[in-house]
Amino acid sequence: MNLFRTTLMLLLLLVKSLSIFAQNDSIQAGTTEIKRASGVAKFANSNKKTPNKVDTVKKIAAQMLPLTNTDSAYKKFMIQPHLPTAAKPVWMIIDYKQKESKDMYFYLLLSITAFLAFIRMFFPKFYKALFELFFQTSMRQKQYRDQLQQDYVASFLINLLFIISTGLFLTLVALHYSLVPLSFWSIYGYSTLLLTLVYTGKSLFLSFAGWVFDNKSAAQGYIFLVSLINRIMGILLIPFSV
């Protein structure tokens, strides 16, 4: 009796274990099938053609196009007349600006300043009397006036300084505002020549008028006053030219 029960229990255990193994095999088979199916799906997705970036941009632009016609904020802030994104591109050749050397201006100004220093060094009394007479009252004007008129060499040099200094200033002004379509040296030559002719002709005309009207002292006094102002102006225009 005990042997029969033992045998029956062993058979039941054997059947139970066989059923468990069968279930495990079916689960593993199902898992394998799922993995195979997912692998096939991934392979199929990988073989699909990726969308073109240009097509994507066109689709986005097509979606945003209605905004330009309906959205007022988009029109106000995104559409700028200085950024014509929808306009046709312009192709052109840009010429680089040629750098102009200004060394000649520097050496010319240095030469004029050296010329003024030469006048002051070799004619110190004349240079001092020139400024004292310009800022002096009428008490001692006649003494300085006689001193200036007697020094012919210093007078000629200071008048020459006025011509070259004022001519340089007029040339720089003409070039800055593009008044004359000429080169620097051409404008400078014409400026100095024009100043020489104008003031020489003016002095001759005033001298002739004083002789005609028999009033040479008044004519000479006016000529001296004009020349005094011109000499001071020729010195003061040097820093303005710089």
Side-chain angles (χ1 to χ4, degrees), residues 19-224:
S19 63
I20 291 172
F21 286 135
Q23 290 178 358
N24 290 334
D25 292 337
S26 63
I27 290 171
Q28 290 179 358
T31 304
T32 304
E33 290 297 330
I34 291 171
K35 289 182 178 179
R36 286 181 180 177
S38 62
V40 171
K42 289 180 180 179
F43 180 75
N45 292 329
S46 63
N47 287 333
K48 287 183 180 179
K49 185 179 179 180
T50 57
N52 193 358
K53 293 182 179 180
V54 179
D55 296 336
T56 305
V57 172
K58 289 182 178 180
K59 289 180 181 180
I60 296 173
Q63 293 175 359
M64 294 181 64
L65 186 60
L67 293 176
T68 61
N69 298 325
T70 58
D71 194 352
S72 59
Y74 184 87
K75 289 182 179 180
K76 184 176 181 181
F77 297 105
M78 299 302 294
I79 300 178
Q80 296 292 333
H82 302 290
L83 296 173
T85 55
K88 185 179 179 181
V90 178
W91 179 83
M92 64 174 159
I93 299 175
I94 299 176
D95 293 332
Y96 291 98
K97 183 179 179 181
Q98 300 294 331
K99 293 184 178 180
E100 181 184 0
S101 177
K102 296 184 179 181
D103 292 342
M104 60 178 181
Y105 302 146
F106 170 75
Y107 289 115
L108 183 58
L109 284 168
L110 186 64
S111 301
I112 295 175
T113 307
F115 185 59
L116 175 62
F118 173 82
I119 296 174
R120 184 180 180 184
M121 182 179 295
F122 288 93
F123 305 96
K125 293 182 179 179
F126 178 86
Y127 190 84
K128 181 180 178 180
L130 182 66
F131 280 91
E132 288 183 353
L133 179 62
F134 185 78
F135 296 103
Q136 190 62 261
T137 59
S138 59
M139 183 174 59
R140 298 178 60 188
Q141 278 189 356
K142 191 175 186 307
Q143 177 183 354
Y144 289 119
R145 177 179 172 180
D146 295 338
Q147 184 177 352
L148 293 178
Q149 288 179 341
Q150 291 174 1
D151 202 340
Y152 298 105
V153 177
S155 298
F156 172 76
L157 293 178
I158 201 70
N159 290 332
L160 181 61
L161 177 69
F162 162 73
I163 295 296
I164 60 177
S165 176
T166 309
L168 176 61
F169 181 77
L170 295 177
T171 303
L172 294 176
V173 171
L175 288 176
H176 181 72
Y177 292 103
S178 301
L179 301 178
V180 183
L182 296 175
S183 63
F184 171 79
W185 292 111
S186 298
I187 301 175
Y188 187 54
Y190 286 129
S191 299
T192 54
L193 180 61
L194 181 63
L195 287 171
T196 304
L197 294 177
V198 167
Y199 283 98
T200 302
K202 185 177 181 179
S203 299
L204 293 176
F205 175 77
L206 290 173
S207 299
F208 177 75
W211 175 75
V212 169
F213 294 102
D214 195 16
N215 196 355
K216 294 182 179 180
S217 60
Q220 293 298 326
Y222 180 75
I223 293 173
F224 178 79

